[in-house]
Amino acid sequence: MEGKDVQDSTEVVICGFGPTGAMVSALLSQYSVPHVVIEKDADINVDPRGIALDEDGIRCLQACGVYQEVFTKIGQCMGNFRFVGGRKPDLSREPFMEMAYGTTEGGTGHPGFLCHKQPEIERTLRTRISSLGVARVHLGSRVTHIEEDRDRVYVTYIDQAGKTHTVSGLFLVAADGKTGFTRKQYLEPRGISMQQIGTVSYDKEWVALNWRISLPTPETHPTFPLWAKGYTPEQVYDAFFPSDFRFLCNPDRASVCGRFGLDQDRLWRFEFVVLPGEDSTVMAKPEQIARVVHPYITHPGSRYGLGSKSIIYPLDCIEVLRCRPFRFSARSCNKWSLGRVILCGDAAHVFPPFGGQGIASGFRDALSLAWRLAIASKTLMNKEAEQDHAALFEGWHAERKQQLNKSLASTVRNGEYVTEANPLRVFIRDWWLWLVQMVPSWRHTMRLGNRAEGLTRFLWGDGKNMAFVDPLSGGMTIPQVYAVPLSSGPGNTKISFTDDVIFSAGKRGLFQAIIIASSGATARDLRAAAKGLSDASGGLVREDEITAFRDGNWVPEPGNSPSQVYRFAHGTEFAVDDLCRGRPEPIGYDPLRLVSELGRDKVVIVRPDRVVFAVCNDRSEMMLAAGKLQRLQTTGRIE
């Protein structure tokens, strides 16, 4: 911009370095896209805010190359969601419904939910970003001004020392939260606003508290009654703070509670709704916590054969890490991009607390946005064509809106179970769900929770700027299973996730092609048919990087590159591999899910966000898909 004192320039500027901003940065770093991150806080916020991450979110962390830390440092499988009725504050009460999220039936190769420590997620991502050496990060820096011209966006910020700087970029990604500068100060005056999502209306205040629990012992608490019954300190902890997450559907006050982080962290979250007429600040005070929460950690002595006197977990073994009110709502911005500025994460949408979708939705935003930024930045930097980047990001918003609505629907269902207060509807709910679970197939579907709907499949009708070929079965999320390279030979079962095989480090194509072959000959034939794919797609997908998968036993395949041919692995093989460390063994795992959903003897082109671009049966379909890829790269559209 003429007259602007610009000290720095880059391709992408990211405002905000929380989970979503860090995810965008990690992915752009892997794509070698230069970018600058501006974050107002000097250090990671140690307050564990979000604590639940679904399997899509785990898969996003895997895409950033940090899977080994997920179940060893960040958290552990959440197990079951137990929906407990009744007015009595009793965590041991049998649930009227249970969802089993410890299985791998969702199609991602991961268990359904991770109970995590948000600060550890951010720390892990930042370490990964630093190791890649692409991003320049300015912590303790506050954005004060944003401007745009025809070619660039300009962001002015004040650093920790109080000095003012301006950085320019091709695009600005705002991941600075629901009260961040970008939306509130820059985009809302231009017509972008948070709005109700469809017909869903939710806007309530809750109090959220985090406790760190230590163990009482016979030495520190000699008069604690359960020692006389032979309880160990760990057994006492398990009795008062049981595993599995609980949705307490108490018609007098809805609540949610459960462990989070690793077992050895002994962290516990309790959230409860603020009722009409109550002051949320008052409800977060210790005396109100004692009234609302302490009954749940107080047991009748009769439960242990100790008479009628109540037993409370020793309060001096509880450290309060946080206790504060929050306003939860379900809202989304009417537009997620305007000009060269793009909103993602909480800056673009907010969720109620019933489905663990806050961070996960921000991660989905990042995964599907980062590769589009990589394409747009490369095209504009190389001046390859007059690209319509607005169309590229409109397609991103159209896809994300569909997935957002799906996530919201499952969240709202959970919320309806938790917050129902009408006695008649509560009675019908409990008895209906009890009866439904008498039918094994219905019970299994119910236990799948939101995974019963299957992997996300985008519908073309919501926007013609979507980036997949609808007539060639594009738009579905590709399943993930486990695989073993055929070059390993019999008896050598070094397991990999199929995502990691398909998008392995060192590959030059942003998109990737895979072959699901019924025989070695078919794989060779399909590879031959893919000749010219690199040129036809403008280099977005390369024929020399195609990975072939087989569902048969180990057989040498002359003429194939053995390092790029894999067989699908069984769950028992994965269970003894290092990849299974810290997480449950795969239950409900289907090694042939790629085959059942995509078919055999196909060439499948996959986007970096694990969405199928096209399923091709022959060379003509491959060339058609490749041409649309090249058009996407140069114009931002596939039509």
Side-chain angles (χ1 to χ4, degrees), residues 77-83 95 97-103 113 243-247 257-258 447 451:
C77 175
M78 216 161 193
N80 299 324
F81 285 4
R82 299 166 65 94
F83 290 79
M97 181 176 69
E98 188 170 78
M99 297 176 182
Y101 282 109
T103 69
F113 268 92
S243 59
D244 290 336
F245 217 76
R246 282 161 172 76
F247 292 81
C257 70
R447 286 176 63 81
R451 296 176 298 168

Side-chain angles (χ1 to χ4, degrees), residues 434-445:
W434 181 82
L435 287 170
V436 163
Q437 294 178 77
M438 295 294 100
V439 181
S441 61
W442 293 359
R443 181 175 184 271
H444 179 71
T445 298

Side-chain angles (χ1 to χ4, degrees), residues 215-216 227 231-239 259 263-264 266:
L215 300 181
W227 310 138
Y231 275 68
T232 66
E234 284 286 354
Q235 288 171 331
V236 169
Y237 170 69
D238 289 339
R259 302 179 186 182
D263 262 343
Q264 58 265 35
R266 296 196 182 90

Side-chain angles (χ1 to χ4, degrees), residues 52-219:
L53 191 67
D54 70 10
E55 60 191 301
D56 280 353
I58 300 171
R59 196 177 189 182
C60 291
L61 289 172
Q62 177 198 344
C64 291
V66 299
Y67 172 78
Q68 292 290 1
E69 285 78 22
V70 170
F71 293 102
T72 58
K73 293 181 179 179
I74 293 174
Q76 63 186 342
C77 175
M78 216 161 193
N80 299 324
F81 285 4
R82 299 166 65 94
F83 290 79
V84 179
R87 286 182 160 85
K88 186 178 179 181
D90 183 2
L91 299 182
S92 65
R93 184 184 177 98
E94 284 297 308
F96 62 80
M97 181 176 69
E98 188 170 78
M99 297 176 182
Y101 282 109
T103 69
T104 54
E105 294 171 272
T108 66
H110 299 303
F113 268 92
L114 175 79
C115 54
H116 64 82
K117 296 175 290 185
Q118 182 175 331
E120 195 60 45
I121 286 182
E122 296 182 32
R123 188 174 296 111
T124 299
L125 286 173
R126 291 187 184 190
T127 299
R128 173 64 171 163
I129 292 162
S130 177
S131 72
L132 293 169
V134 176
R136 285 173 282 137
V137 179
H138 302 292
L139 301 177
S141 299
R142 178 171 54 87
V143 175
T144 59
H145 187 70
I146 299 171
E147 287 185 52
E148 291 177 78
D149 62 20
R150 184 178 182 277
D151 298 316
R152 300 186 74 80
V153 58
Y154 303 85
V155 182
T156 301
Y157 64 94
I158 300 174
D159 67 14
Q160 290 190 75
K163 296 181 64 176
T164 299
H165 308 266
T166 298
V167 57
S168 77
L170 296 171
F171 301 102
L172 166 63
V173 175
D176 48 356
K178 59 186 177 182
T179 61
F181 179 92
T182 310
R183 178 169 61 78
K184 299 295 290 184
Q185 302 299 320
Y186 182 67
L187 290 180
E188 287 190 1
R190 289 162 174 78
I192 286 184
S193 61
M194 278 279 192
Q195 299 178 354
Q196 180 177 307
I197 303 174
T199 59
V200 175
S201 177
Y202 187 88
D203 192 3
K204 290 185 182 295
E205 285 190 294
W206 286 61
V207 171
L209 65 85
N210 293 333
W211 286 350
R212 178 182 288 120
I213 315 297
S214 59
L215 300 181
T217 67
E219 291 73 32

